[in-house]
Structures are given as structure tokens and as C-alpha cells.
Amino acid sequence: MMVFWQERLAILATPKTASTAIESALGGLAAVVIQRPRALKHTDASRFASYWKPYLAQAAGAEFEVAALMRDPKDWLGSWYRDGQRDDVEQDRSTRGISFDDFVHAYCAPGPRPSYADVGSQAEFLGGTGPARVDRLFRYEDLSGFLEFLEDRLGCEIILPRLNVSPLGNTNLSAPLEARLREVCAADFALYEGLARA
């Protein structure tokens, strides 16, 4: 999460949407950059609205606009799955030796998820289906549109480094499992599909 004081802008770090690269490119311009612990770096929209937004508004005497990225839900899960293929991932979060179908099946199964598939939901992170908590939400696939917005707002050119990129891997899904994923993640798909296309 980053806060730009003069510009009255906060950027939420939706996991698996280039947040590390964005932080690296813009951290020197921000008034506040939260890198760790992970729970604070990835402060969700609901917590931001409850705690940070009122504090910032009171301190600055003005409201802060909140921006974030959202990734196609299937691709987002694919990034989590591929990230779990790394050699340095803790054993309980590792996806080595399992297929993407197995990963998505575990994610969609009722009851507690195994650690490797317990990655949350973008819709929940971004505020769910309740009142809008993110003022400017961009598709990850329209990263250039997000960067244009930031360049205009911050008054500078932004060049993103390639950081924390997940390894390559097969993320094809069987048709029945993809249909099940769309059912389980209906709120995520609805939110994503409601965003303006690039």
C-alpha cells in the first residue's frame, strides 16, 4: 500500500497484480510505503476504509482517492499456482507436484482450503459487492491505462521493472472445473467483467 500525500491518492496492493513492481517504481515518490508485514502491505479496501481513510482525511483536511488493480480471476489463481512452484516456497504453500486442476479444485472445495490454495478473493479484497471502496479500479490486463492514470496524477513518467514474476507453468483448466470456478467466484468475475475493457 502506498499513500501520495500531495496528490491525495492511495494505491492498494492487490496481491498478484504487479504490486511489488509498482512499489519499486513509485516508492520514492510516496509519503507512505508499507512493505511489510504482508498483512499491512496488502491492506484490503474494507480495512483501508475503516482505519486509514478517516485518519488521512482528518490529517489532510481532504478525502483521498483510492486506486487498485484487479486481475482476471482465473489468471489471478494461475499466478498463485505458478508462484507456488518456486523452490523457496514453504512446503505447506507449495504447489509442486500438483496440477492446476488440482489447485483450482482445492480452491473451490467447500470447507477449509489447504494452505497452498488459501489465497482469498479479489472481490473480498476490493470491498465485495457493498458500497464502492475503490474509486479507480483498473484491469491488470490494462496496466498501461493504470500507468497513464498514475503518470497524469503524479506528473512523471513511470517505467515498471519486472519483479516477483511467477514461474511459467500450465494453467489450462478442464471445462467442467472452469464452470465450477465461475460459480464459486461469481462475485470476482462479475466485478472484473464490469470494469471497462482496455
Side-chain angles (χ1 to χ4, degrees):
M1 182 181 80
M2 290 186 290
V3 174
F4 299 86
W5 184 261
Q6 296 295 333
E7 296 81 4
R8 304 298 191 252
L9 175 68
I11 302 174
L12 300 184
T14 312
K16 298 294 166 203
T17 61
S19 57
T20 301
I22 292 166
E23 175 188 293
S24 175
L26 298 178
L29 301 175
V32 176
V33 180
I34 299 186
Q35 298 175 315
R36 59 184 73 84
R38 190 177 190 285
L40 286 181
K41 173 181 176 174
H42 296 294
T43 294
D44 65 29
S46 179
R47 286 191 179 94
F48 184 86
S50 296
Y51 302 106
W52 280 90
K53 198 165 188 179
Y55 171 73
L56 290 170
Q58 183 180 27
E63 290 293 322
F64 278 66
E65 189 173 26
V66 180
L69 284 163
M70 181 182 191
R71 196 167 185 166
D72 173 275
K74 179 180 170 248
D75 292 343
W76 184 74
L77 285 176
S79 183
W80 278 110
Y81 167 74
R82 290 183 291 109
D83 194 63
Q85 301 283 308
R86 295 177 191 271
D87 291 335
D88 60 347
V89 172
E90 298 168 11
Q91 186 173 358
D92 66 330
R93 298 197 66 84
S94 173
T95 57
R96 289 188 303 275
I98 67 170
S99 68
F100 187 49
D101 266 22
D102 291 338
F103 175 83
V104 172
H105 180 75
Y107 182 83
C108 292
R113 294 172 177 144
S115 295
Y116 65 82
D118 191 16
V119 298
S121 154
Q122 289 182 100
E124 289 175 11
F125 180 90
L126 295 165
T129 56
R133 297 184 190 274
V134 176
D135 304 299
R136 299 295 302 265
L137 185 57
F138 293 81
R139 287 179 177 225
Y140 170 83
E141 293 74 13
D142 180 26
L143 194 55
S144 61
F146 181 61
L147 294 178
E148 284 174 18
F149 162 75
L150 292 177
E151 286 176 341
D152 182 60
R153 194 67 181 269
L154 302 176
C156 65
E157 182 183 15
I158 300 169
I159 299 171
L160 289 188
R162 285 185 53 82
L163 298 172
N164 197 29
V165 179
S166 298
L168 297 175
N170 183 350
T171 55
N172 293 324
L173 272 184
S174 63
L177 193 51
E178 184 157 354
R180 174 69 178 142
L181 176 62
R182 286 190 161 272
E183 181 183 311
V184 169
C185 297
D188 293 76
F189 281 100
L191 181 59
Y192 178 78
E193 288 164 5
L195 299 177
R197 293 187 183 276

